[in-house]
Amino acid sequence: MSVNQQAHAGPPYGQPQPGYQGYQQPAYGGQPLPAVPQSQYGAYNGPMPGYQQPVPPQGSLRAPPTSGAPPPASGASLPSSHLAYSQFGHGDVQNGIPASAAPMPRPPASQPFLPGSAPTPVSQTSTFQQYGPLPASVQQLSNHMAGMTVGSTAASAPPPAGLGYGPSTSVPPVSGSFSATGSGLYTPYTASQGPPPTSVSQGLPLAQPPFPGQPISTQHPPTQVPGFASPPSSTGIGPSSYPPTTGAPRPPAMPGPPLPGQTLAGPPTSQPNHVSSPPPPAALSGPHPGPPLSGLHGPPPSAHPPQPGYQMQQNGSFGQVRGPQPNYGGAYPGTPNYGSQPGPPPPAKRLDPDSIPSPIQVIEDDRSNRGSEPFVTGVRGQVPPLVTTNFLVKDQGNASPRYIRCTSYNIPCTSDMAKQSQVPLAAVIKPLATLPPEEALPYLVDHGESGPVRCNRCKAYMCPFMQFIEGGRRFQCCFCSCVTEVPPHYFQHLDHTGKRVDFYDRPELSLGSYEFLATVDYCKNNKFPSPPAFIFMIDVSYNAVKSGLVRLICEELKSLLDYLPREGNMEESAIRVGFVTYNKVLHFYNVKSSLAQPQMMVVSDVADMFVPLLDGFLVNVNESRTVIASLLDQIPEMFADTRETETLFAPVIQAGLEALKAAECAGKLFIFHTSLPIAEAPGKLKNRDDRKLVNTDKEKALFQPQTSFYNNLAKDCVAQGCCVDLFLFPNQYVDVATLGVVPYQTGGSIYKYAYFQLETDQERFLNDLRRDVQKEVGFDAVMRVRTSTGIRATDFFGAFYMSNTTDVEMAGLDCDKTITVEFKHDDKLSEDSGALLQCALLYTSCAGQRRLRIHNLSLNCCTQLADLYRNCETDTLINYLAKYAYRAVLNSPVKTVRDALVSQCAQILACYRKNCASPSSAGQLILPECMKLLPVYLNCVLKSDVLQPGPEVTTDDRAYIRQLVTSMDVAETNVFFYPRLLPLTKADVDSDALPAAIRNSEERLSKGDIYLLENGLNIFVWVGVNVQQGLIQNLFGVSSFSQISNALSTLPVLDNPFSKKVRSVVDMLRVQRSRYMKLIIVKQEDKLEMLFKHFLVEDKSLSGGASYVDFLCHMHKEIRQLLS
């Protein structure tokens, strides 16, 4: 927004902005188009004289690569000068992974790119609508916002002439522009570039992509672009399935070659990539003044019929109608009547939401571009497909993105450059992530008594990047460069390329992820661990018994104990179990197999906790089956008439800890708890809930524990390997911020079921409990992240404890937990050698086996900011920023935290604008292609309950969400902050696929439809007031809207296609999430609708959060202030 405008120049921030028209998303995250290197300067705003395009040379171009040359895929060898691997002395094949000159996927920056089909108009002026004289308000707006183009400007030098898009044909001069269509199928692209930035403009000529091989104008001859040349003829993708990168293989099914310099436009569903409001009077009609576009090579306009969404106008230019959005009806009402006389001008309207970057479009584009090919991890610095894309991973030397995702895969060489860009360098690591059945689990390598081979100096583990020298007798460490003797038993000869002969037989030399069997030196007190134990600790106070909870837990445990986790081929689980009940005293149970009946022992001296029995407390389930069953039958009866309402909490954890100490094993406590622990005992709490602190400087106290007692207890638990999972069933404030300290610091989980009711919450609780008991978990875990020289791990986020600056300690680590690590520079990096991370996790498996799990990842390094911005991943960036902010609220006022987030993101985008985007008017908001969703996602984080709570959000809810998000993975934060909204009435009942998602805004909902919204914790089914009676009958089994019950927690099982489809969609979504999502039925105009609208994150929120449109304007204003 213009900073220096007079007050009357336009509506202030926060009010509706007059309109931006349809905006077309370029693809995101797809592999780049072939052979279009990035460059510094891109399109400029102004008339485009007709350039003559040289005929593309036949055959491939080869120029010096930008960073270390990859080995040619063809097997031809490059000249030795191309093989500058600093840490590998052996020419073009080294032990490890080819560093690609081409940081893989992302479409090229010098061309706006739309997946799947065809070129957009060469001259973008035509996207202006042809109106009559503009209303004054629109003219004011043109000044006011000096134009926010949402369009693509090229972030770099013109592409080389070798874009072999087909034979050159000459086109007669045409006034206006070509129709933006064509049905070309495009082959997967592979070169090293990132995509064009996205810019938003209002009332300005749109920036135009340059034509390949042409200087853009005398102002920026391509000679000014340092260090960019066309990529070598093959980017070392090794055995990947991508085509080679030269000369752009020509699409097989093009009805005529597209125009050079044009984008490949998406299928009709995608929107145009430029937004323009009605132009200022000067630009009212047709193309810019200037020479006609002659001599362009490409098909004559008639080769492509106009696409839906563009209609021919009299002078041959195209006005733009909002094209059919995926899953919406046709053009919006009020489309001007094209083709005949322009109608009267429409009234000034706010920025059209369809004209700004759409998360749905980006997700769809990535799915269609990258969902079909496996992601092969053999190349350094590849950006993986988005978390929302379903793809297979082939491990060829780097860890799968299921284990590690980074905020950027090409990191700045210097700390100055990193500071300048403000892009945080972080990795979100999920060491025990579950893999899909089609992908192989990490191999377990057993080196016998000598243990894994490691570097002498930095202790890094053997991995694909280590360099063997002196005929294989020694190896040079890729992290610290120290040379280490190869142990005699591990010696192997090298082949003629310097690779070990057994390279492919050893997982640690050829794969990114693998496990080592640990020796006794890696065990506590130098002795092998015993198998872990599970202790179930049940609150039997009045609330728990009266709600039916105690009986429910006891019934479930009878069958659940048969499903304890076990190693692959074991007959039964090695895990032993024990049982405790408590209110304001503790009851221990002896369930030894030789007893006829269980025995109960009461400990009432809770100030000095001890375990009253050793033998018979922790038992094997199969041996003690009948005694356990008898106990679980008796517990609900024993406490049926209890009047005890008070509970304690800390002594319960102490009791479990003491029991594990006595048994000399690690383990997990499953605690089922209902109320604030106010009984006289250690760790007693008081009700300190105070809503008046919200939005004051003292608000941070609400997130902090009220006593340090629990921090000390957590430390003791971690030392013993005692992990705590807490199931809470509160009817009022229970101080989650304090009760959560031990679960949080021991690597455990918290589950919260407020106002628990058997009929509505039973299904969710039992499913959560089953999954929690059965899931893979490692005990007594320690994780360390090593990095190559130049960067180091400086900060860690997640559910763990740290006693020093490098070791992340977790009593338990399960397959859902992530640890987020931030890196900072401590030296310069080099483009040749890149940067390496190695995450090593030492843990005890559920069978009591001590193991090391190793994940390795190689990243590219860059000296150009454009390379950094081309290889970022917004979803991971948001995951990091949310965790950073959610930790900051412990020490800073929430407003300070929010302002810091906005400021950092404005700096990231301003740095891009200043250093990478082509020069253009300050009125344009230009976003880097792979960060174009940063504003919408950031706004969702700012509006979240932790940072901006509405009046209905409790203090406990905020503390719960804060802890939950801190160990979420990238897929979970993605759907948590920007929920998935699916139109169920549009679902194809005959296919297995989910219906295509729509954007999270109330204006997308139609009264005649039914929608499903999920955010990883809940599933809402919203029913419009005008839904057809037949659909209501089919889904709910009632005859009218008014008869649908809000209290339904499950959909009735009805025998018709629609009911089956909707239930299968719900089941599919639940399987994807780590927690069982509660189903909530919302009827339009019902009181629950307020809760539902809270999740429509593109709209204004009741708690004062900005709408997406308003926030985008606000971000634009912030960026302009930084630039001025």
Side-chain angles (χ1 to χ4, degrees), residues 78 113 152 184 203 241 276 283 308 313 370 394 492 534 619 725 736 804 832 959 981 990-991 1088:
L78 287 168
F113 167 77
S152 298
S241 49
S276 49
Q313 294 186 2
R370 306 200 60 188
K394 287 193 176 150
Q492 185 56 267
F534 282 1
V619 297
D725 278 358
V736 173
N804 58 33
D832 291 340
L981 182 59
D990 300 320
S991 97
L1088 265 178

Side-chain angles (χ1 to χ4, degrees), residues 129-293:
Q129 310 225 9
Q130 308 260 322
Y131 297 124
L134 283 172
S137 59
V138 179
Q139 292 174 21
Q140 278 182 4
L141 183 78
S142 316
N143 308 339
H144 167 60
M145 223 168 155
M148 272 175 77
T149 355
V150 176
S152 298
T153 58
S156 16
L163 262 181
Y165 275 132
S168 97
T169 48
S170 134
V171 177
V174 187
S175 104
S177 60
F178 304 120
S179 94
T181 54
S183 61
L185 301 167
Y186 208 71
T187 40
Y189 16 87
T190 53
S192 57
Q193 309 69 262
T198 300
S199 69
V200 184
S201 92
Q202 194 159 318
L204 276 181
L206 298 173
Q208 306 166 352
F211 296 126
Q214 294 298 338
I216 301 175
S217 78
T218 45
Q219 292 165 281
H220 335 288
T223 50
Q224 295 178 6
V225 182
F228 285 103
S230 74
S233 60
S234 60
T235 36
I237 302 172
S240 115
S241 49
Y242 302 120
T245 42
T246 34
R250 206 164 4 131
M254 282 263 185
L259 292 160
Q262 287 177 338
T263 61
L264 292 167
T269 57
S270 50
Q271 315 114 280
N273 194 20
H274 290 281
V275 176
S276 49
S277 68
L284 256 184
S285 70
H288 284 302
L293 297 167

Side-chain angles (χ1 to χ4, degrees), residues 393 395 403 435-443:
V393 179
D395 184 342
Y403 295 123
L435 299 182
E438 312 84 78
E439 292 177 22
L441 293 170
Y443 286 97

